[in-house]
Amino acid sequence: MARKKRAKELQPNIKVRLDRRTVITVRDHEKLAFWKEKYPLLEILED
């Protein structure tokens, strides 16, 4: 018998541009604060 696939709980992802070439996806605001320390000029593309 085939097993049913579980639905994943999707967390909202935050798309962030660190510099002009680098775009990353961050899972929560705690990680966003971490990257903000390293790259103070980062831009939030999608929240």
Side-chain angles (χ1 to χ4, degrees):
M1 238 186 188
R3 294 184 186 185
K4 290 185 182 179
K5 290 185 179 179
R6 283 193 200 164
K8 288 186 179 180
E9 290 183 26
L10 298 176
Q11 293 181 342
N13 290 328
I14 305 165
K15 209 173 236 188
V16 175
R17 182 184 305 272
L18 299 179
D19 56 24
R20 67 185 183 96
R21 280 188 258 159
T22 311
V23 176
I24 64 169
T25 303
V26 182
R27 290 186 183 237
D28 57 17
H29 291 283
E30 185 178 303
K31 298 291 183 187
L32 182 63
F34 168 79
W35 285 105
K36 184 76 172 170
E37 286 180 18
K38 293 186 179 275
Y39 294 90
L41 299 176
L42 69 81
E43 305 175 37
I44 298 175
L45 302 177
E46 292 179 14
D47 196 6

